């Protein structure tokens, strides 16, 4: 694999993590405008469709795809862009977003475990060290003074499980990489259809109550679905699920920086230690790959 392509995969995954780190803050403001978790998942996919369609058409000169990839796309849509965000966003109603992030980020470890147990992959020393650093670093972020709710923790934990399965499958379906934005467009389209049906059938479609709310939802869709989701997908295709999962742990660091910078939160010792461990994990796995490319 060309070194430039590998580098691009790392950049995609890091940028995705940074954008995802802004998600809880934006979601909280959207909820304040009357939107619930399931509706937000629908809107984040539906409002991103025009931009994804435009990008897909510019790239491929068509919006048509073959029938063969539809099954793979529907599975990935349900796991990664439908059920995972519904579970995670729902957990914000019961526990602080920071606590939810701790439970959600079991998924990098689960991605490695699935690879070892079910896919019989050989795990490199650098990957295992990085996973250990990530696990401890994310755990250090936890503040025992935050409110705890077993139901909310369960929702966040399940979101990590479903996302881990999504990451593993995404890295297995490498042929979908060639579809580019067409793949991302159809994933968002499937997710929009599924979540709309769920919202209507459960009578839980709660749209924004103000113009500002709609603007924030549109921005959320543009940043998260057209930005972070697409970047994560392409990064995973290039560098694999394990590495993308490890780099995604930069997401909570972004949340911490935003909290300190914009919300005036205090920078505590556990936050500094957790950030250092997560960053160390990313540096270790990156340097390991760079050495491999040189060899």
């Amino acid at each position: 694999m060309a070194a430039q392509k590998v580098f691009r995969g790392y950049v995609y995954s890091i940028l995705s993590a940074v954008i995802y780190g802004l998600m809880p803050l934006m979601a909280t403001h959207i909820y304040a405008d009357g939107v619930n978790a399931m509706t937000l998942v629908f809107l984040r996919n539906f409002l991103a469709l025009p931009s994804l369609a435009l990008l897909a058409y510019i790239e491929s000169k068509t919006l048509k795809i073959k029938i063969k990839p539809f099954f793979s796309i529907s599975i990935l849509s349900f796991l990664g862009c439908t059920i995972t965000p519904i579970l995670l966003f729902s957990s914000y109603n019961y526990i602080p977003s920071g606590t939810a992030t701790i439970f959600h980020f079991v998924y990098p470890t689960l991605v490695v475990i699935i690879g070892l147990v079910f896919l019989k992959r050989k795990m490199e020393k650098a990957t295992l060290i990085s996973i250990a650093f990530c696990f401890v670093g994310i755990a250090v972020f936890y503040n025992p003074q935050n409110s705890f709710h077993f139901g909310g923790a369960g929702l966040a934990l399940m979101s990590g499980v479903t996302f881990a399965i999504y990451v593993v499958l995404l890295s297995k379906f490498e042929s979908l990489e060639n579809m580019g934005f067409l793949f991302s467009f159809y994933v968002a389209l499937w997710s929009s259809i599924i979540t709309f049906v769920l919202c209507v059938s459960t009578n839980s479609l709660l749209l924004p109550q103000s113009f500002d709310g709609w603007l924030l939802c549109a921005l959320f869709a543009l940043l998260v679905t057209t930005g972070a989701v697409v970047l994560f997908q392409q990064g995973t295709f290039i560098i694999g699920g394990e590495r993308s999962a490890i780099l995604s742990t930069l997401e909570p660091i972004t949340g911490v920086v935003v909290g300190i910078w914009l919300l005036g939160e205090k920078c505590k010792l556990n936050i500094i230690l957790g950030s250092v461990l997560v960053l160390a994990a990313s540096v270790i796995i990156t340097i390991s790959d760079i050495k491999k490319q040189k060899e």
Side-chain angles (χ1 to χ4, degrees), residues 10 126-138 141 246-247 249-250 253 272-288:
Y10 275 94
T127 303
L128 291 174
I129 293 172
S130 296
I131 282 292
F133 274 45
C134 285
F135 187 81
V136 176
I138 295 296
F141 277 113
I246 290 169
L247 292 172
T249 54
L250 294 171
I253 295 180
I272 296 173
L273 179 59
S275 299
V276 169
L277 288 169
V278 169
L279 287 171
S282 301
V283 170
I284 289 169
I285 198 69
T286 303
I287 290 175
S288 174

Side-chain angles (χ1 to χ4, degrees), residues 81-115:
C81 299
T82 305
I83 191 64
T84 293
I86 286 175
L87 290 169
L88 183 59
F89 293 171
S90 297
S91 72
Y92 295 163
N93 294 318
Y94 304 100
I95 56 177
S97 59
T99 305
T101 299
I102 303 301
F103 287 98
H104 174 71
F105 270 91
V106 299
Y107 86 80
T109 305
L110 290 176
V111 169
V112 173
I113 292 172
I114 292 171

Side-chain angles (χ1 to χ4, degrees), residues 106-125:
V106 299
Y107 86 80
T109 305
L110 290 176
V111 169
V112 173
I113 292 172
I114 292 171
L116 287 170
V117 176
F118 297 101
L119 304 180
K120 306 300 180 183
R121 288 179 180 169
K122 292 182 179 179
M123 199 52 56
E124 299 167 3
K125 185 178 179 181

Side-chain angles (χ1 to χ4, degrees), residues 41 44-45 76-83 85 166 187 191 229 233:
V41 177
R44 93 168 201 182
N45 287 291
L76 291 171
S77 299
F78 178 75
L79 286 171
C81 299
T82 305
I83 191 64
Y166 162 75
V187 166
S191 298
V229 172
Q233 289 167 351

Side-chain angles (χ1 to χ4, degrees), residues 64 71 125 137 142 145 148 164 210 253 265 275:
K64 295 180 180 179
F71 177 74
K125 185 178 179 181
Y142 178 65
Q145 294 179 346
F148 185 83
S210 67
I253 295 180
E265 296 177 356
S275 299

